């Protein structure tokens, strides 16, 4: 399979890239940091193509992919009414607008072919927002709205859609914060993403640590 993954240089996206490449799939790995992407490429010779790009700048992502994983996201703690820092505006472009642009570029080829799988990484923050992350949760709710729209528009096209909503997952997103005691490994999310594609799971899938 040809798989495009946004935010593939570290965290959940990196774990997904490694999971798909380890199974012999071709991965187009999108992120800004060339060094981390080249390390990924060198780990899986001939399978990983680097796409060094800032998703906030509407890069050209068009191509023929069997699977598109819209994973890149920005998290910072903060409330909508916080006077010190506007986390909502900081994260809106990547968490919402960049995904809208990516979908508009990538989905028409899948629709034309009548097959493919769009996987979007959401968050349980859309179900259980907590006061310290209302700004992030609001952007993820908007992404969930986009997902619902894509799903409706793709119905009957042959293109599957899945929204994976992980709970807290140990990645660099938690730098500077105390992660909760029960936290998912990025590889656990990647395993679910892989099963989603290989088993054709659709709808909204929630994954939380016990
Ligand atoms: N970690 C959690 O607890 C958790 C829980 C639920 C949901 N999620 C969701 O899971 C997804 C991945 O989160 P994560 O924790 O793995 O994040 P992460 O460790 O911070 O990694 C973010 C990835 O996105 C890339 N990225 C960031 N800004 C970008 C930009 N402007 N253009 C291109 N790439 C960009 C980063 O690469 P570069 O910096 O190299 O560009 C990196 O590869 C996000 O959608 C997040 O909302 C995370």
């Amino acid at each position: 399979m040809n798989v495009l993954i946004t935010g593939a240089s570290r965290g959940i996206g990196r774990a997904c890239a490694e999971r798909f490449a380890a199974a012999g799939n071709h991965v187009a790995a999108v992120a800004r940091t060339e060094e981390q992407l080249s390390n990924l490429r060198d780990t899986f010779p001939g399978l990983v193509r680097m796409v060094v790009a800032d998703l906030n700048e509407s890069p050209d992502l068009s191509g023929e992919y069997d699977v598109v994983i819209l994973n890149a996201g920005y998290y910072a703690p903060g409330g909508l009414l916080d006077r010190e820092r506007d986390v909502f505006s900081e994260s809106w472009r990547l968490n919402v607008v960049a995904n809208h642009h990516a979908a508009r570029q990538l989905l028409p080829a899948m629709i034309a072919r009548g097959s493919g799988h769009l996987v979007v990484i959401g968050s349980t923050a859309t179900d259980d927002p907590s006061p310290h992350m209302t700004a992030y949760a609001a952007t993820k709710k908007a992404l969930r709205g986009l997902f619902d729209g894509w799903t409706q528009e793709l119905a009957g096209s042959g293109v599957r859609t899945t929204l994976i909503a992980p709970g807290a997952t140990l990645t660099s997103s938690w730098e500077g914060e105390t992660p909760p005691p029960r936290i998912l490994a990025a590889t656990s999310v990647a395993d679910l993403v892989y099963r989603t594609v290989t088993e054709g799971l659709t709808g909204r899938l929630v994954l939380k640590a016990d």
Side-chain angles (χ1 to χ4, degrees):
M1 289 185 289
N2 279 319
V3 184
L4 179 133
I5 305 172
T6 66
S9 60
R10 60 176 192 272
I12 292 170
R14 170 77 174 225
C16 290
E18 291 175 350
R19 185 71 185 82
F20 279 88
N25 298 289
H26 290 268
V27 173
V30 185
R32 294 166 301 180
T33 312
E34 187 166 356
E35 194 183 341
Q36 288 174 327
L37 288 180
S38 58
N39 167 277
L40 175 68
R41 179 198 56 191
D42 295 346
T43 309
F44 299 98
L47 290 176
V48 174
R49 183 167 63 85
M50 293 167 40
V51 183
V52 181
D54 184 344
L55 291 162
N56 285 332
E57 302 299 330
S58 306
D60 181 6
L61 297 176
S62 53
E64 290 280 341
Y65 298 102
D66 303 296
V67 180
V68 167
I69 301 171
L70 297 181
N71 160 79
Y74 174 82
Y75 167 76
L80 291 160
L81 304 180
D82 191 328
R83 301 287 295 258
E84 303 287 316
R85 186 173 172 187
D86 183 358
V87 173
F88 178 81
S89 299
E90 283 172 25
S91 40
W92 175 258
R93 274 177 79 197
L94 182 63
N95 292 357
V96 185
V97 179
N99 286 314
H100 170 62
H101 286 311
R104 286 174 66 84
Q105 290 185 57
L106 292 162
L107 294 178
M110 287 185 172
I111 294 167
R113 219 176 48 238
S115 68
H117 201 146
L118 171 69
V119 180
V120 179
I121 305 299
S123 172
T124 53
T126 60
D127 303 312
D128 324 305
S130 60
H132 79 293
M133 57 167 75
T134 51
Y136 169 76
T139 66
K140 286 302 219 184
K141 283 189 179 181
L143 176 60
R144 193 169 168 179
L146 289 180
F147 173 81
D148 289 342
W150 293 324
T151 299
Q152 287 190 30
E153 294 181 29
L154 291 167
S157 70
V159 182
R160 294 188 172 110
T161 58
T162 312
L163 179 66
I164 294 187
T169 307
L170 193 57
T171 69
S172 60
S173 293
W174 285 92
E175 259 168 32
E177 280 197 277
T178 308
R182 302 292 302 156
I183 190 160
L184 294 165
T187 49
S188 301
V189 182
D191 285 343
L192 179 59
V193 172
Y194 187 75
R195 276 190 50 214
T196 293
V197 170
T198 53
E199 298 176 23
L201 309 178
T202 57
R204 181 171 184 264
L205 308 178
V206 175
L207 185 67
K208 287 186 189 181
D210 288 338

